[in-house]
Amino acid sequence: MTFSSIVPIVLVLAAPAASPVGPGDRAPTAEEPAPEGLEADEAQPAPDEADEADEAQPAPGEADEADEAEPAPETIPNPFAAPPTTAVVRAPPPVAAPTRPPRPIRWRLDFGLGVGTTVARDPGVRAFSRGRSLPDTGASALFDFRLAEGRFFLGGGVSYQNVNRRGDANAAQITSKLGVHEPQVLGRVSFMVLEGLDAFARVGVGPSIVDMRVQSEAYETASQRAIIPRVDGRAGLSLYLPKKWLPSKQASRVTAGLDLGLGYTWRGKIEVRPTLEQDDEPLRATTSPWGTLSMHGLSFGMGLFLRVM
């Protein structure tokens, strides 16, 4: 067998061993069309297109943010739905302060301080005063009780007044001093017009202890003491704080007020004849009588009182 005949045989035997490259063994380029047998979705994208697609896809966090940014669908409330029940927290009720039981007024005790004056009818008072008025200051304590649960109160008490006056007589040749001390026993009836306003009538009886002292320009002194009766009658009004204006209301026990009164004061007459003070002088001298002195007249007064009831 010659060499020329062997070569074709070797080529024929070697041809099946080499795998021919078909059209499907090479990936088509972007410029070449895809094979007819492949569908569009099965075609593999080019490397550049795959990278761009990866970059176009959002990251997981960005996708969540995009979902959160989307507005929630608007919900329409159901008018027939029952309202939501919520727990109601209520504050505990306030604790009321204990109230005292009301105390009706059955009795009253008044402690008072007052001022007043008597306008004497006798002009002889000018020997001991520059005017005819005899002003006084005093204190009193009165107790009364209610009659038959009505508006009338009946009671009494004690009082003390003091008068002090200075004057001159006979063109200032003689200076004088007059002092009057007057303890009294009182009786009072009151009518409660309304709580806070009373109308009253009061009568007082007692002695007037009168001390007179005169002095001349030569410093000669004469004095006299006389005790005369005194009767005083006065009517007026008492204004005081009612219970409803006080802190404890109807349970109050203490109040305060003002009383105003007008009346007449009668005193007995005095035979004025002062006794000269001579100490141990061997020659005794006497004074001439000055006449009678009357100190009664119209009187009025006002005062403050503290009431326990």
Side-chain angles (χ1 to χ4, degrees):
M1 184 178 293
T2 62
F3 178 77
S4 59
S5 59
I6 294 172
V7 170
I9 296 171
V10 172
L11 293 174
V12 170
L13 294 177
S19 56
V21 177
D25 296 336
R26 186 172 56 90
T29 63
E31 298 177 356
E32 296 179 357
E36 298 178 356
L38 297 177
E39 298 180 359
D41 55 349
E42 294 180 0
Q44 297 181 358
D48 297 336
E49 295 177 354
D51 295 340
E52 292 178 359
D54 294 338
E55 292 177 358
Q57 293 180 0
E62 296 178 355
D64 296 341
E65 293 179 358
D67 294 340
E68 293 176 1
E70 293 180 0
E74 183 179 359
T75 58
I76 300 175
N78 185 5
F80 301 99
T85 58
T86 58
V88 179
V89 179
R90 295 182 179 180
V95 179
T99 58
R100 298 178 181 179
R103 297 185 178 96
I105 301 175
R106 295 189 176 91
W107 53 267
R108 304 180 302 187
L109 178 60
D110 297 349
F111 300 96
L113 296 173
V115 296
T117 189
T118 302
V119 181
R121 299 175 58 185
D122 187 357
V125 176
R126 292 181 179 272
F128 300 93
S129 174
R130 290 182 173 85
R132 289 194 298 169
S133 63
L134 299 173
D136 64 80
T137 58
S140 62
L142 287 160
F143 175 84
D144 58 11
F145 57 92
R146 200 165 198 159
L147 296 176
E149 301 297 330
R151 291 179 177 268
F152 283 95
F153 290 81
L154 180 64
V158 294
S159 68
Y160 171 79
Q161 288 82 32
N162 183 26
V163 178
N164 280 301
R165 299 300 289 166
R166 289 180 179 272
D168 51 56
N170 194 16
Q173 297 297 319
I174 299 175
T175 59
S176 60
K177 179 180 178 182
L178 176 68
V180 183
H181 306 276
E182 298 178 321
Q184 275 188 312
V185 177
L186 302 175
R188 184 179 71 176
V189 59
S190 301
F191 176 75
M192 183 186 291
V193 180
L194 51 89
E195 188 176 354
L197 175 62
D198 289 1
F200 70 87
R202 189 179 72 187
V203 176
V205 178
S208 289
I209 305 171
V210 182
D211 288 324
M212 292 179 290
R213 187 180 183 87
V214 294
Q215 187 174 21
S216 66
E217 289 183 337
Y219 297 102
E220 294 178 341
T221 304
S223 61
Q224 180 181 354
R225 167 169 285 192
I227 299 176
I228 57 176
R230 176 182 187 267
V231 179
D232 178 74
R234 190 172 295 182
L237 296 174
S238 294
L239 304 174
Y240 55 93
L241 297 174
K243 282 191 172 186
K244 61 183 179 181
W245 293 0
L246 300 175
S248 300
K249 305 299 181 183
Q250 295 300 322
S252 298
R253 284 289 186 90
V254 179
T255 186
L258 168 72
D259 60 10
L260 303 170
L262 177 66
Y264 192 87
T265 300
W266 177 87
R267 296 179 178 93
K269 294 181 178 181
I270 304 174
E271 293 290 339
V272 181
R273 189 168 182 172
T275 302
L276 189 62
E277 298 178 359
Q278 301 181 49
D279 297 330
D280 297 332
E281 290 291 335
L283 297 176
R284 309 302 297 178
T286 60
T287 57
S288 60
W290 288 20
T292 60
L293 178 65
S294 178
M295 296 186 294
H296 53 266
L298 187 69
S299 64
F300 57 90
M302 63 179 296
L304 299 174
F305 63 88
L306 178 69
R307 173 169 292 175
V308 181
M309 51 191 173

